Amino acid sequence: MPVEGIVIDTNVFVAAGFNPRSASARILAGIREGRFQLIWNKPTQRETEMILRRIPRLDWERVAILFQPEGEFTGPVDPDAFVLVRDPDDRKFAALSAAAKRPLVTNDNHLLADRNIIGIDVLTPRALLAREGKDT
């Protein structure tokens, strides 16, 4: 079965760090186990590192290994095409998801609420696990 590539919003890394039994943590475990592949680019990696280093209880070093070279998306990404995304910081994730044609996994209520007008596949960690048949 092919490994599904997924784009992960920073808030999923944060949620996983605070609750090791959460759906977010199971998504990160799925990447470690090779069930999912993290799709990333330099801007999304930079934001994730910056946020995780800022929160004392979280450990960037523990998740840095998930940003594997084979998951890096180096093609063109256009965050400015996503002005409908309310939070400008989230546009880079939406743009990467669109460019890589991979789902965006997030806990962000605005992204989830606006997924139909944004035009990308936006899922909660729990919804991704359910879709993969890994969880209910």
Side-chain angles (χ1 to χ4, degrees), residues 6 8-10 12-17 22-36 38 52 62-63 66-67 105 125 128-129:
I6 52 175
I8 300 182
D9 196 345
T10 303
V12 173
F13 288 98
V14 172
S22 65
S24 295
R26 289 199 300 277
I27 296 290
L28 299 191
I31 294 169
R32 284 189 179 92
E33 295 159 8
R35 291 197 330 257
F36 301 115
L38 177 62
L52 294 184
R62 195 154 176 270
V63 297
L66 301 180
F67 290 81
V105 182
L128 177 68
L129 291 169

Side-chain angles (χ1 to χ4, degrees), residues 21-117:
R21 299 216 301 264
S22 65
S24 295
R26 289 199 300 277
I27 296 290
L28 299 191
I31 294 169
R32 284 189 179 92
E33 295 159 8
R35 291 197 330 257
F36 301 115
Q37 180 179 43
L38 177 62
I39 304 299
W40 59 278
N41 62 6
K42 295 284 193 257
T44 61
Q45 181 189 30
R46 268 196 303 272
E47 176 177 305
T48 302
E49 179 176 1
M50 182 187 72
I51 299 294
L52 294 184
R53 287 190 185 279
R54 245 194 247 160
I55 302 171
R57 283 190 47 199
L58 302 181
D59 184 1
W60 161 250
E61 303 306 329
R62 195 154 176 270
V63 297
I65 193 165
L66 301 180
F67 290 81
Q68 292 291 313
E70 61 272 14
E72 184 176 9
F73 184 84
T74 56
V77 174
D78 185 10
D80 294 335
F82 289 87
V83 292
L84 292 174
V85 173
R86 296 179 218 191
D87 181 348
D89 287 339
D90 288 334
R91 293 176 186 160
K92 68 177 84 59
F93 292 96
L96 176 58
S97 172
K101 296 178 176 50
R102 298 289 180 225
L104 172 59
V105 182
T106 184
N107 291 305
D108 185 293
N109 289 329
H110 290 139
L111 285 168
L112 292 161
D114 294 345
R115 64 181 141 208
N116 293 334
I117 57 170

